[in-house]
Amino acid sequence: MTVSETVSAEDLSRRLASLDLAGRLSLAAAIPGRTVFTTSLGIEDQVITAAIGEGGVDIDVVTLETGRLFPETLALIDETEARYGLSIRRYHPDAADVEAYAARYGLNGFYESVEARHACCDVRKLRPLKRALEGASVWITGLRRGQSGNRAAIPFAEYDAARGLLKVNPLADWDIEAIRAHVAENAVPVNPLHGRGYPSIGCEPCTRAVRPGEPERAGRWWWENDVKRECGLHVPEAAASELPRA
């Protein structure tokens, strides 16, 4: 019996909507099976990690250590573990996959085409994510409706048919002002790059600071024209199946 047969995403969304963050995380963790939170160490994810650590919630915290992260992000992993007394498990890309990508496209070939960029994200993020979510029933993310137009209708919970699990977005209805206020009130450690114009932080070669008036995610893969650009982690099954593979 799959998790979709025991827990309705629509019913779970309704229940999550009435709870605070701590309650949402506890409810997600109570669903039978392994619950995994994937953190990119961004400001939203830090709010969730802090709540998991302070509440002692039984949720595995993992991160995709792509090999191209900012030094500030790597330092924040260590700081966060020490602050909340938890372990953030790092999932790395397979060295053979990285070598095959570089042989085909060049190490920084992602600048040359959308195909090459998606292939890089596949090697450095999607394949490690698959390993991180093995055996999981629930996947917790830091997605918010205000991050981009492509995420404006994100529910609190949805069934991820491609991965066969429930995806829970406990901050779906939080705006950036609420996030910042929570961080300030609770002294949550955040990436110093946020204060330098980086509201959304990914791999160093693929992230720039945003300009005044630009959307939060405008600095991600900025050389591409598609306003809906994503790495493939958070796209519907049909769309994800169309992403090129290395």
Side-chain angles (χ1 to χ4, degrees), residues 12 15 21 23-24 32 45 79 85 95 121 141-142 155 163 171 213 227 238:
L12 182 59
R15 295 172 64 188
L21 177 58
R24 291 171 180 178
D45 291 346
E79 179 184 357
C121 289
T141 85
R163 299 179 175 95
L171 298 180
V227 296

Side-chain angles (χ1 to χ4, degrees), residues 34-38 52 57-62 87 89 132 140:
R34 178 175 174 243
T35 300
V36 178
F37 169 49
T38 53
I52 291 172
V57 191
D58 185 18
I59 295 174
D60 292 341
V61 182
V62 308
S87 175
R89 184 172 180 182
I140 294 176

